[in-house]
Amino acid sequence: LAPGLATVTTEMNIRYLRATDPKARGTLIGTGRVVKPGRSIITTDAEIRDLDGRLLATAGGSFFVINAANVRT
């Protein structure tokens, strides 16, 4: 994202595909990517896998690009 810009979430979804054992300890691996870095809308997706490579969850989101000067804190 260029300096002076910010984003506002326009849509986000999470799909839980497989449960994990709450007693098991281990590492989960999350990866994300920008699918389309448009000038006004940025589209993303992500996934979570366990160490055996099993897909546990996927997510997607769209973000509206705005001028950061318009953001109130």
Side-chain angles (χ1 to χ4, degrees):
L1 200 57
L5 298 178
T7 60
V8 177
T9 305
T10 58
E11 179 268 335
M12 184 175 280
N13 63 68
I14 303 171
R15 291 169 297 282
Y16 299 100
L17 306 172
R18 180 187 295 257
T20 60
D21 181 353
K23 295 178 183 174
R25 295 206 177 263
T27 301
L28 299 178
I29 301 166
T31 57
R33 70 183 181 110
V34 175
V35 176
K36 184 172 187 256
R39 286 184 294 140
S40 60
I41 299 284
I42 297 171
T43 305
T44 63
D45 68 10
E47 64 182 32
I48 302 291
R49 294 182 180 269
D50 64 14
L51 287 178
D52 293 325
R54 290 183 292 237
L55 184 61
L56 305 176
T58 62
S62 298
F63 304 88
F64 187 64
V65 179
I66 63 171
N67 185 325
N70 296 334
V71 175
R72 288 187 257 167
T73 56

